[in-house]
Amino acid sequence: MKGKHYHVHMAGSITELPKFDVVVVGAGNAGLMAAIKLQKAGKKTLIVEQHNLPGGCATSYVRGRFEIDPSLHELAAVGSADNPGPVRRMFNDLGLNVNWVQLKDCFRAVGRYSDGSPMDITMPCGKQAMIDAMENEVPGTRKKMEKLFRLFDEINEGLGYFSDGTNYNLRYALKHYSNMLIVGSHSCKIVFKALRLPQKCIDILSTYWSYLGVDMGRMSFLHYAMMVSSYMEEGAYIPAFTSHELSVALEDKFRELGGTIWFNCRAESFLFNDGKVCAVRTQYGDIRCKYALANVNEDIVYGRMVPKEMVTSRLKKLSNARKQKYGARMFTVHLCLDNTADQLGIKDYSIFMQGTADSEKEYANIMKGMDSNSFAIFVCYNVANPKASPDGTCICSITTFGSPADWDNLKSEDYASFKEKCARKLISQLKEYTGIDLEGHVEEVAVATPWTFARYLGTPEGCVYGHETADWDDIISRNLQVGKDYPVKGLKPIGAGGPRGDGYSSAYQCGELMADMVLRELGEAAV
Amino acid sequence: MKEKLQKLKVKISSFKLKDMLSFKNLPLRRDKAIDAASDKDINTSFPINNNARELHPPVQLMVISRIIERETAGARSLLLKKADGTGAAWFRAGQYVSVKLKIGESYVTRPYSISSSPRLTKDGKLYITVKENPGGFVSDYIMSKLKEGDKVLVSGPEGQFYHDSLRDSKNVVAVAGGSGITPFLSMAYAIRDGIEDFDLTILYGSRTEDSILFKSELDSILEETDNVRVIHVLSDERKEGFESGYITADLIRKYAPDDYSLFICGPEALYRFMEGVVRELGLPARRVRREIIGVSGKMVSSKDDRPETFHDLTVIQGPETFHIKASSRETLLVAIERAGIMAPAKCRSGECGWCRSKLISGDVIIPEQNDRRRRMDKTTGHIHPCVTFPAGDIVLEVPRGDMPDD
């Protein structure tokens, strides 16, 4: 990213920049939340953001009379006004009024079960409704599904017990959370089998695998239980005015608390003194600080922004052990249509389309490239949110994963035709799987590819998540090693690659968690 | 609840202690995986990111390699060539670049549609064309001061004024006025070169035959491809082989196929005139596209009959604060540029959002037709200074622009 261009008003043109307690690099979800927490705790905090607006992925852009959300399908952990989840609570605690819109169903899944038989099922939200719908589709599963939900309850309670910051009592844990401890090291695939769930039922439960970016064979069951039970039981939410609504609300709160934010101010590197971060080198100059948080992918932080001698052997080994397997590179076609959802025969907010519900096979197909990829998620925002677009119109997206196999060696001059070809394939798949025909109604179209995300986010391979949360590096294992994963003094990467994993709710929570850790360290330093 | 939970007994392997132990050993398992890996330096070079940067460079340093005067049309074309000898960024025919200049103490930008074939980017080349606009701060400078060999900084390709097969008809009817021909010339080249695949019918309005821009270029394209047609429409002259008068709904119907997308690019007056034409044609919104770069600021100020007033404008840019004056007749962006402050700007029509800034205090006027802000931004006081006029003293936080040094 280092500019080799003939620009610009670089470092040094300003005589003296103010000093800060903490500099947060990047105003993504984690960066914003961490900055608020730090500023609120009385730390003089600065956010430097390379773009001209906050949010990272959590943003929007305008095309004609439409406003497009580039990333958010649904947000977990919001919960209802009466029974708020962690995310709603965070926003409530900050006194922020978000126009939350609830999604009525969890999803509709269309395509083929793993045995090849046709699949078309709509899953409502809520434990009981879901158990009923499952019993209806796969008779004889009621008892087992009830057991599964009880296991979710135990896990969510247990994870709370283990991560509330106090020491845990092993005997208490063994007595109350023994099932969690038993399943705790296993993948979804193994636990589902152990619960003797019929394959069709497993297929349906696997539908959300794509939101975590890892197939069921490699996904930790605890991770699944945490994320998916929130989607299933509480239902998911979206903000009425796109993710940009969330990011701007957070930015405004940060300012109101006295925080400083500089846009178009890219951070180049971290400067050290005495083995500890002392400043951040930015386009505006060197900014001195006691601590820095980087809402930046770990590999970029340790591979590019930190002097080599500060990068420990374990950090290098950790990165190499992860083998640059980045989670979820997205390909999305956004379609702004000149008819309403009703007129177009769209009834569902989200439709998961899959050539096979076998997530391991589907994942392997996706990685081979667009030609073998048969996975896509269709979303029509207006089904849940009448304010998603002007009257008489609707706004939809179709998303799949992009594989480096397609996007590594593509030439600039072939880019437009390749992305149009991919988009066309998704639009045809929608018609084939659901009968929904969008042709002849497209008023605006925008296609986002891994190149697009690489351009705007600067993340490795344009990934929107961090490293895959899979196998030995699942979020449970990461959480258990938080103390070991951040050896550089005065610097922590935060965000999708962190111990909470990826997705909006995880990133917000990661921001809070890491800000707490910084506050503890700064507190200790003061003593 | 508690009672129920205690009854839940999940079994994975035959010894539950074994499973609990493997949970306890998760950190050990992770340590082992990490320890087994190499400790070579972390790679930060990724093909996807390199490709993205090649397609969307934030800035390109170019040399003016040739200037072609088009005196009868009152314009000059600049052939820009990448200064470092590499290829220029590929673009979609119809896109523009934002040219960044330092004129006196002012840092300014202007958007210009690229008029050449995307193919020329392989040789590092782009053509842009600048129309004279007497008294225009930037056009005067480009017309009279810039010379061959000078360096200019331009953005990567920008804008959505191009043919998209997912959205547009296979038939495009282009309505061009004056230098508004430039994006269509690029499209015509791209069709000729097999880069774009659609049929283009250009209705090109000029005052007289002499003032037609790119007449010979267009003629030669017509010889090389059947997918481009050009109909010259002269407003001030009647001549054999030319249409005369204005580009009316009837004229469009005369040349348009059944299904078509209407693309419009030209001076301010053309857009106003075309509003009625589009209504008369009854085209749905998805079949009409306008290139509006650069025109909107002018569109407003020329209609503005309020007396000119001057206001204090405080610009906060990162750690710096500037106190300047702003005229009610000019956009806030112009006031900021005039004062020598580097501001980000690309389209200069409210569309791209590149200049998005936070209004801390003060009253502003944003003409409705140019207000293309995000919905939340309208409630939080974020504005696009390129289409915003002061109506009182203003305090504004503006991100810094990427601009050339001396």
Side-chain angles (χ1 to χ4, degrees):
Chain A
M1 297 288 265
K2 188 93 183 162
K4 55 175 183 244
H5 316 283
Y6 144 86
H7 50 60
V8 263
H9 216 77
M10 282 293 290
S13 65
I14 291 155
T15 45
E16 181 79 5
L17 290 174
K19 266 199 293 199
F20 291 87
D21 292 325
V22 185
V23 174
V24 177
V25 174
N29 289 334
L32 285 167
M33 208 48 104
I36 286 174
K37 183 114 193 175
L38 292 161
Q39 184 67 37
K40 225 177 155 186
K43 300 295 168 198
K44 191 181 173 198
T45 304
L46 168 74
I47 302 175
V48 293
E49 163 58 47
Q50 63 179 339
H51 285 300
N52 67 344
L53 76 179
C57 278
T59 184
S60 72
Y61 56 96
V62 174
R63 288 284 180 276
R65 52 181 173 149
F66 298 87
E67 183 175 349
I68 297 172
D69 189 317
S71 64
L72 183 65
H73 285 182
E74 45 192 279
L75 223 164
V78 176
S80 64
D82 301 334
N83 188 17
V87 170
R88 188 190 288 263
R89 223 175 297 134
M90 269 188 249
F91 280 85
N92 285 352
D93 289 350
L94 295 170
L96 298 175
N97 275 324
V98 174
N99 299 293
W100 293 113
V101 178
Q102 188 179 11
L103 309 182
K104 296 212 168 44
D105 291 327
C106 280
F107 56 78
R108 179 178 162 201
V110 182
R112 301 212 167 264
Y113 284 107
S114 50
D115 65 5
S117 62
M119 176 183 200
D120 187 352
I121 179 169
T122 303
M123 271 290 158
C125 289
K127 195 188 298 187
Q128 209 46 55
M130 199 159 216
I131 292 171
D132 292 345
M134 189 67 89
E135 175 67 26
N136 193 36
E137 180 76 7
V138 194
T141 51
R142 184 175 298 281
K143 282 264 154 8
K144 287 168 182 155
M145 284 292 290
E146 282 169 355
K147 197 171 170 182
L148 177 69
F149 275 104
R150 276 161 57 199
L151 183 56
F152 287 161
D153 288 341
E154 183 186 314
I155 288 169
N156 282 314
E157 216 182 290
L159 288 172
Y161 176 73
F162 276 100
S163 60
D164 70 356
T166 62
N167 288 333
Y168 67 87
N169 175 322
L170 187 62
R171 287 184 61 181
Y172 183 88
L174 280 170
K175 186 171 173 210
H176 293 282
Y177 310 119
S178 65
N179 294 297
M180 174 181 128
L181 300 178
I182 287 169
V183 302
S185 65
H186 294 292
S187 69
C188 292
K189 187 181 176 181
I190 288 173
V191 178
F192 285 156
K193 285 280 180 219
L195 292 170
R196 298 182 196 287
L197 294 166
Q199 188 56 45
K200 270 195 174 178
C201 175
I202 294 175
D203 286 351
I204 295 165
L205 290 170
S206 304
T207 301
Y208 276 125
W209 77 267
S210 54
Y211 279 177
L212 302 178
V214 178
D215 60 72
M216 304 303 270
R218 295 184 303 140
M219 190 194 301
S220 148
F221 182 75
L222 293 193
H223 189 186
Y224 176 89
M226 257 172 69
M227 289 292 298
V228 173
S229 66
S230 155
Y231 279 126
M232 289 179 179
E233 292 183 32
E234 301 160 9
Y237 289 77
I238 51 169
F241 297 109
T242 76
S243 307
H244 184 62
E245 175 179 354
L246 302 175
S247 302
V248 170
L250 292 172
E251 180 203 332
D252 272 2
K253 174 50 70 172
F254 176 64
R255 289 170 179 275
E256 188 191 309
L257 292 166
T260 309
I261 183 162
W262 294 347
F263 288 108
N264 286 9
C265 181
R266 194 174 62 243
E268 305 285 351
S269 59
F270 298 99
L271 307 182
F272 285 77
N273 183 16
D274 223 4
K276 193 174 167 302
V277 165
C278 66
V280 183
R281 176 154 290 172
T282 74
Q283 282 176 298
Y284 281 26
D286 295 346
I287 305 161
R288 281 179 292 162
C289 60
K290 295 180 190 150
Y291 216 105
L293 289 177
N295 193 178
V296 179
N297 181 280
E298 287 80 352
D299 281 352
I300 303 291
V301 174
Y302 296 126
R304 194 185 289 163
M305 301 176 77
V306 169
K308 279 200 167 35
E309 64 274 18
M310 300 308 303
V311 182
T312 63
S313 161
R314 189 174 191 276
L315 282 174
K316 287 188 265 192
K317 281 170 173 262
L318 173 58
S319 170
N320 291 321
R322 285 166 162 170
K323 296 182 185 147
Q324 308 204 334
K325 288 183 96 167
Y326 300 106
R329 278 130 310 195
M330 297 300 182
F331 178 94
T332 303
V333 50
H334 298 275
L335 296 155
C336 307
L337 304 156
D338 69 355
N339 267 347
T340 64
D342 255 359
Q343 288 170 322
L344 294 165
I346 302 167
K347 304 268 179 269
D348 305 290
Y349 176 82
S350 64
I351 305 175
F352 289 70
M353 301 180 277
Q354 38 200 2
T356 172
D358 181 334
S359 63
E360 285 169 284
K361 268 193 203 156
E362 196 75 309
Y363 180 90
N365 288 339
I366 287 166
M367 293 313 284
K368 272 185 236 157
M370 203 57 86
D371 287 337
S372 47
N373 179 350
S374 61
F375 177 85
I377 306 168
F378 169 78
V379 172
C380 177
Y381 304 88
N382 299 67
V383 169
N385 176 20
K387 289 178 184 159
S389 67
D391 288 347
T393 69
C394 72
I395 183 162
C396 302
S397 69
I398 316 176
T399 300
T400 186
F401 294 106
S403 160
D406 288 323
W407 300 97
D408 271 5
N409 298 316
L410 190 64
K411 292 194 176 72
S412 282
E413 58 267 40
D414 300 326
Y415 176 71
S417 56
F418 185 67
K419 73 176 183 177
E420 281 183 19
K421 183 182 136 193
C422 296
R424 218 172 271 293
K425 185 181 171 229
L426 294 180
I427 295 167
S428 312
Q429 187 179 359
L430 177 70
K431 189 175 170 185
E432 186 196 330
Y433 278 49
T434 68
I436 298 168
D437 187 359
L438 304 180
E439 196 131 346
H441 296 289
V442 180
E443 184 173 319
E444 296 289 344
V445 57
V447 181
T449 75
W451 289 23
T452 316
F453 289 101
R455 173 190 185 188
Y456 287 107
L457 302 176
T459 51
E461 296 180 350
C463 68
V464 293
Y465 294 169
H467 286 95
E468 285 191 340
T469 50
D471 300 324
W472 58 268
D473 198 28
D474 66 35
I475 63 165
I476 306 302
S477 305
R478 285 186 197 176
N479 268 289
L480 293 168
Q481 294 207 307
V482 160
K484 253 182 164 174
D485 278 0
Y486 301 91
V488 178
K489 285 203 177 110
L491 173 66
K492 286 187 191 351
I494 56 174
R500 289 279 177 175
D502 27 60
Y504 280 41
S505 59
S506 306
Y508 288 139
Q509 292 177 70
C510 176
E512 281 214 319
L513 173 79
M514 303 303 251
D516 276 337
M517 288 172 67
V518 173
L519 287 172
R520 278 203 294 276
E521 284 182 44
L522 286 176
E524 277 163 24
V527 170
Chain B
M1 190 70 170
K2 274 281 171 244
E3 196 187 344
K4 264 191 176 177
L5 275 177
Q6 278 160 12
K7 268 196 267 168
L8 176 67
K9 281 208 174 89
V10 177
K11 197 174 158 192
I12 306 275
S13 41
S14 31
F15 302 104
K16 72 174 189 184
L17 269 178
K18 187 184 150 213
D19 289 311
M20 290 186 174
L21 200 65
S22 78
F23 178 75
K24 188 173 165 275
N25 285 340
L26 284 177
L28 215 62
R29 178 177 77 157
R30 192 164 182 268
D31 277 340
K32 268 190 190 159
I34 295 169
D35 281 343
S38 135
D39 67 351
K40 64 174 195 263
D41 284 346
I42 297 168
N43 172 52
T44 60
S45 174
F46 311 97
I48 286 175
N49 298 64
N50 298 339
N51 295 339
R53 200 170 172 78
E54 197 181 297
L55 186 63
H56 299 292
V59 285
Q60 310 183 82
L61 178 62
M62 318 280 286
V63 180
I64 300 176
S65 130
R66 201 150 66 90
I67 294 179
I68 303 151
E69 304 293 351
R70 304 181 187 277
E71 273 140 26
T72 55
R76 80 196 310 203
S77 297
L78 310 180
L79 168 58
L80 306 177
K81 200 160 184 306
K82 269 293 280 300
D84 62 5
T86 61
W90 186 262
F91 63 93
R92 299 296 300 270
Q95 285 192 301
Y96 71 90
V97 288
S98 171
V99 177
K100 300 156 190 269
L101 297 164
K102 188 173 185 204
I103 306 177
E105 291 307 305
S106 296
Y107 295 95
V108 295
T109 72
R110 283 294 180 275
Y112 293 107
S113 299
I114 304 168
S115 60
S116 45
S117 171
R119 197 170 49 99
L120 295 192
T121 59
K122 293 286 161 200
D123 306 322
K125 291 177 185 166
L126 295 178
Y127 278 94
I128 59 170
T129 296
V130 181
K131 183 121 170 106
E132 71 183 3
N133 171 26
F137 181 56
V138 177
S139 60
D140 279 359
Y141 176 82
I142 294 179
M143 293 305 288
S144 60
K145 294 285 194 317
L146 281 186
K147 54 188 189 305
E148 288 175 4
D150 284 354
K151 286 184 178 168
V152 290
L153 202 59
V154 308
S155 71
E158 293 289 337
Q160 281 82 46
F161 192 67
Y162 53 78
H163 181 262
D164 192 317
S165 69
L166 298 168
R167 176 193 61 210
D168 302 317
S169 168
K170 189 100 195 288
N171 303 302
V172 172
V173 173
V175 172
S179 59
I181 189 66
T182 47
F184 301 125
L185 180 62
S186 178
M187 289 181 202
Y189 279 129
I191 291 169
R192 179 202 67 182
D193 292 345
I195 294 164
E196 292 288 348
D197 180 23
F198 60 94
D199 288 329
L200 179 64
T201 303
I202 303 173
L203 301 174
Y204 182 17
S206 304
R207 280 198 310 282
T208 59
E209 186 185 358
D210 281 350
S211 68
I212 295 175
L213 261 173
F214 302 117
K215 175 89 168 51
S216 59
E217 284 86 347
L218 288 166
D219 286 346
S220 74
I221 292 171
L222 297 181
E223 283 170 25
E224 294 175 80
T225 173
D226 295 332
N227 300 106
V228 178
R229 289 197 295 169
V230 180
I231 296 99
H232 290 287
V233 186
L234 305 178
S235 61
D236 297 3
E237 202 172 33
R238 281 185 173 280
K239 245 185 179 171
E240 185 85 18
F242 296 88
E243 291 282 355
S244 60
Y246 291 112
I247 300 171
T248 60
D250 283 341
L251 192 73
I252 290 172
R253 283 196 202 97
K254 180 172 167 188
Y255 290 100
D258 285 346
D259 177 59
Y260 64 96
S261 288
L262 189 68
F263 282 32
I264 307 165
C265 184
E268 169 196 339
L270 179 73
Y271 295 101
R272 279 210 294 271
F273 183 74
M274 289 307 292
E275 271 175 42
V277 172
V278 167
R279 252 197 316 276
E280 202 183 326
L281 290 168
L283 292 171
R286 71 188 164 84
R287 284 291 183 241
V288 185
R289 302 196 71 75
R290 298 171 183 84
E291 178 56 291
I292 49 172
I293 51 166
V295 295
S296 306
K298 278 183 265 164
M299 209 189 284
V300 174
S301 51
S302 60
K303 274 199 291 188
D304 189 0
D305 51 8
R306 289 171 304 136
E308 185 174 21
T309 52
F310 289 90
H311 306 282
D312 290 332
L313 170 58
T314 305
V315 177
I316 302 167
Q317 197 168 53
E320 295 175 290
T321 302
F322 306 89
H323 299 280
I324 62 174
K325 290 281 179 200
S327 156
S328 61
R329 288 287 175 86
E330 287 180 339
T331 64
L332 291 171
L333 177 63
V334 169
I336 293 165
E337 289 176 338
R338 199 184 284 288
I341 301 168
M342 296 182 192
K346 282 181 184 166
C347 75
R348 306 184 78 89
S349 62
E351 190 175 45
C352 76
W354 203 246
C355 61
R356 178 182 182 270
S357 299
K358 185 163 177 74
L359 185 64
I360 305 292
S361 66
D363 290 331
V364 295
I365 295 169
I366 304 170
E368 206 188 322
Q369 75 272 22
N370 298 330
D371 191 355
R372 298 183 184 84
R373 290 177 293 166
R374 296 166 178 87
R375 288 166 298 173
M376 265 309 274
D377 285 357
K378 294 179 185 179
T379 70
T380 53
H382 288 89
I383 60 166
H384 297 173
C386 69
V387 290
T388 304
F389 297 81
D393 293 343
I394 307 280
V395 179
L396 190 64
E397 235 183 271
V398 184
R400 190 181 291 166
D402 240 10
M403 301 298 271
D405 277 335
D406 291 299

